[in-house]
Amino acid sequence: MKTNPIDPRLNEADLNAALAPDNDAIVPSSGFVSSVMMAVHGEASAPAPIAFPWKRALPGLIAAAILAAYLSVSLVAFLRSGGVRHILFSSMGWPAILAPLFRHATDALWLTVSLAVCLASLLFCRRLITSG
Amino acid sequence: MTTAPQSEPHFTDEAVVARVLSGDTAAFEAIVRRWQSPLVNLAWRFCRDRARAEEMAQEAFLRAWRNLAQFRGDSAFSTWLFALAANLYRTELRRIPATMLSLDEIAEPPDPVIAGAALDQSARDESLRRAVLALPPKYRDAILLSYFHEQDVPSAARTLRLPEGTVKVRLFRGRELLRSKFSRPRSGINAAPGSVLPAATHPTEAQTP
């Protein structure tokens, strides 16, 4: 079907002619294959990525899960006991909100220890990665 | 376009894949040589920038090499390769669009009545190709892949990993959008939109799976 040259409207033949593969093709540059193969060989010779040390991380993950469960249970117990209402309607303001957090020195101690363990495990992981 | 222009008669794609998977990295070159033209040209259709097309095609080959073990031979290697490449190109286009022009900003074809001259066919073709890139992605992809596969809808559907009916509907609607852009009545011409369309069914996407 020949396109009418004075018809500005697009018809099927125009579309097919414009988008036909033969009318809209380029030839890859001469160095394309070597460029791809260089990249492939580069990847092939690169060391395999370090797998995450699941075995070593497992104790930490279990401890974190237990801690999360403990905190969740504590939070639920706290909410059920009406602690939130007590804090919100307390006339003492925000110091009263923060006070329970530091009421027991042992809690603060455990918090500090857990933070220290987190920091130590982070440093240990970094050392494992950098030492290869 | 989708046939392997530089085929090596001694090794099928599947045989080369087996060699690569057994550790012969250099054997992958046969695949690159065989499929470089289709993959570069497919990328070219998506971006219309030669340098970027080659970059995207290179990335497609690299991705194919990385994921070669996932090719199970359920379909032809070319089907797997084109699907992988098309998926990559679409992702790349979402990241950096090929054109910042909207469909309304694509240059209008010259008005032959006013200009009194024949249409510049090559300029119009190029306008059309760029207009395809300005279509919504689902219509753009259907049109690009359909024409890349020489209007073989089943092949385009396999590459896009979509049902054939869906591709047909998107193809139809994409063409309609292009026609509405390139068939606007100009001064002195009362062209009813779609009046030059050949008789065609109007499939609906809702009817397709």
Side-chain angles (χ1 to χ4, degrees):
Chain A
M1 188 167 74
K2 186 68 181 171
T3 308
N4 180 353
I6 62 164
D7 190 346
R9 295 167 296 179
L10 178 69
N11 63 25
E12 201 74 16
D14 291 325
L15 198 59
N16 293 344
L19 300 177
D22 294 340
N23 296 343
D24 185 27
I26 59 171
V27 178
S29 59
S30 56
F32 179 74
V33 174
S34 58
S35 171
V36 172
M37 288 313 295
M38 198 180 293
V40 168
H41 284 302
E43 283 220 3
S45 60
I50 300 169
F52 188 80
W54 287 107
K55 281 185 181 175
R56 294 184 183 186
L58 199 58
L61 292 174
I62 291 171
I66 292 171
L67 184 64
Y70 172 74
L71 287 175
S72 302
V73 170
S74 301
L75 182 64
V76 170
F78 177 70
L79 293 173
R80 280 186 178 174
S81 69
V84 173
R85 195 181 308 157
H86 172 72
I87 290 170
L88 289 178
F89 294 103
S90 167
S91 59
M92 293 173 68
W94 284 105
I97 297 172
L98 297 174
L101 294 175
F102 300 100
R103 187 169 293 159
H104 303 290
T106 49
D107 291 347
L109 180 65
W110 279 113
L111 191 65
T112 310
V113 169
S114 64
L115 286 172
V117 169
C118 282
L119 183 64
S121 60
L122 180 68
L123 292 173
F124 182 61
C125 287
R126 283 194 61 174
R127 191 176 172 187
L128 278 177
I129 292 169
T130 51
S131 65
Chain B
M1 180 61 62
T2 56
T3 53
Q6 295 155 342
S7 60
E8 294 187 1
H10 301 299
F11 299 106
T12 62
D13 287 324
E14 288 71 17
V16 175
V17 168
R19 279 176 58 190
V20 175
L21 288 177
S22 67
D24 184 2
T25 305
F28 191 70
E29 186 171 338
I31 285 177
V32 179
R33 286 195 183 282
R34 194 172 294 171
W35 295 108
Q36 60 171 330
S37 185
L39 252 58
V40 168
N41 273 289
L42 181 58
W44 161 253
R45 283 163 172 268
F46 271 94
C47 68
R48 308 212 68 76
D49 176 332
R50 169 184 278 274
R52 195 179 173 201
E54 293 203 349
E55 278 176 20
M56 294 200 311
Q58 173 164 328
E59 184 57 36
F61 277 119
L62 264 178
R63 191 168 288 192
W65 182 78
R66 285 188 208 120
N67 299 310
L68 213 52
Q70 292 175 13
F71 172 63
R72 296 188 185 89
D74 300 333
S75 57
F77 178 76
S78 59
T79 303
W80 180 80
L81 185 64
F82 289 150
L84 180 147
N87 197 34
L88 172 71
Y89 298 163
R90 289 151 69 197
T91 307
E92 279 293 306
L93 247 66
R94 273 199 296 274
R95 200 169 60 85
I96 307 173
T99 175
M100 303 308 290
L101 295 178
S102 72
L103 200 57
D104 288 334
E105 292 168 322
I106 299 293
E108 291 282 346
D111 188 331
V113 175
I114 293 172
L119 289 174
D120 182 348
Q121 193 64 43
S122 64
R124 178 168 170 159
D125 287 353
E126 190 55 30
S127 274
L128 248 172
R129 291 167 193 147
R130 292 194 176 274
V132 171
L133 293 183
L135 289 172
K138 60 181 182 179
Y139 304 133
R140 174 203 67 196
D141 295 346
I143 288 181
L144 288 182
L145 266 304
S146 166
Y147 280 96
F148 174 74
H149 286 293
E150 296 173 341
Q151 300 191 59
D152 179 5
V153 173
S155 295
R158 280 195 296 274
T159 301
L160 287 167
R161 293 169 178 156
L162 288 171
E164 281 182 36
T166 305
V167 174
K168 280 180 186 168
V169 171
R170 292 182 181 182
L171 197 54
F172 178 82
R173 289 188 182 160
R175 282 172 170 163
E176 286 293 288
L177 279 172
L178 285 175
R179 285 194 188 103
S180 69
K181 166 64 185 174
F182 281 83
S183 304
R184 275 180 195 158
R186 308 294 295 264
S187 56
I189 299 176
N190 294 319
S195 60
V196 292
L197 296 182
T201 55
H202 291 246
T204 57
E205 201 157 358
Q207 293 169 341
T208 60

